[in-house]
Amino acid sequence: MARPRKFDDDEVIDRAMDAFWTNGYFNTSPAQLAAATGIGKGSLYNAFTSKRDLFDRALTRYDMLGVEFAEQHLSKPVGTREAIAGFLRSLIEADLAGPVRRGCLAVNTSVELAGQDPEIQRAVQRMQEHTITALADRIARGRRDGDVDPDVDPRAYAEFLMNTIVGLRVMAKTNDAPMLHRIIDSALAGL
């Protein structure tokens, strides 16, 4: 008879996500995952079957947290530019505040694995699509409310902003906040 689990799956996934986010998929060893999660390698793999399964769950968790973060910022009762600027600034401020500037897990994963692994590529595209959709919805709302130029295509501008986010998250690894804020201001000038 199997022994009952003595850990919370979400907590383990969060800790594994942090290890993958900091080190990358290939550079995160089973020993590092065991240390990060506080669970022995045997128990960890019995619960999650493989390093890849744990990584896939970490990406899913990261996506869920990203959707919640975007919703929190983009639903604020402020103008569209202000809401999007707050969202973008919050992303880079989190990057700059950490003890290690690790950027975005989805971007890092795309650079490390997407060209080699179609499943990972699709997972990253899904994450990006969630952000693009949230931004496009906010821009469309801004057009209806009259605080966004009616000629702006919400989907196209959201795709442009997604590209800006990816660049910001990479640049946050090596640049300071004033420069990143100037990029955000330039990106939002077209709204």
Side-chain angles (χ1 to χ4, degrees):
M1 184 167 176
R3 292 185 302 183
R5 288 187 187 182
K6 296 181 180 177
F7 55 84
D8 176 79
D9 282 2
D10 286 340
E11 186 176 321
V12 170
I13 292 168
D14 283 347
R15 290 178 180 176
M17 179 179 65
D18 282 337
F20 288 126
W21 195 351
T22 301
N23 303 309
Y25 177 75
F26 288 124
N27 288 329
T28 303
S29 69
Q32 288 171 310
L33 287 170
T37 61
I39 298 171
K41 286 190 277 185
S43 295
L44 193 60
Y45 285 107
N46 283 335
F48 296 101
T49 70
S50 68
K51 175 181 169 181
R52 176 56 185 265
D53 178 50
L54 188 54
F55 184 66
D56 290 344
R57 291 183 191 210
L59 287 179
T60 299
R61 176 90 172 132
Y62 185 80
D63 184 29
M64 183 197 73
L65 294 171
V67 167
E68 290 173 2
F69 187 80
E71 175 62 26
Q72 172 189 0
H73 286 279
L74 298 175
S75 66
K76 289 185 176 179
V78 295
T80 302
R81 283 180 200 84
E82 187 178 348
I84 295 173
F87 172 54
L88 300 181
R89 284 193 174 97
S90 292
L91 286 172
I92 62 164
E93 287 166 10
D95 288 342
L96 297 174
V100 176
R101 291 189 184 190
R102 51 191 186 172
C104 171
L105 178 59
V107 173
N108 298 347
T109 299
S110 180
V111 170
E112 183 181 12
L113 299 169
Q116 306 167 42
D117 187 323
E119 288 179 33
I120 291 292
Q121 183 172 326
R122 285 189 294 275
V124 171
Q125 287 172 328
R126 276 191 303 274
M127 287 186 253
Q128 292 169 341
E129 183 57 36
H130 291 147
T131 302
I132 290 167
T133 298
L135 288 164
D137 289 349
R138 186 63 176 97
I139 294 166
R141 178 176 146 199
R143 282 180 50 181
R144 287 190 303 275
D145 293 347
D147 71 346
V148 170
D149 184 329
D151 294 331
V152 169
D153 178 328
R155 174 70 190 196
Y157 210 91
E159 291 167 346
F160 165 72
L161 288 174
M162 184 71 239
N163 186 66
T164 302
I165 290 167
V166 169
L168 284 167
R169 303 298 298 274
V170 171
M171 291 187 71
K173 290 182 172 193
T174 58
N175 291 281
D176 62 1
M179 177 188 183
L180 300 170
H181 287 179
R182 287 192 301 272
I183 292 168
I184 291 169
D185 292 343
S186 294
L188 296 178
L191 288 177

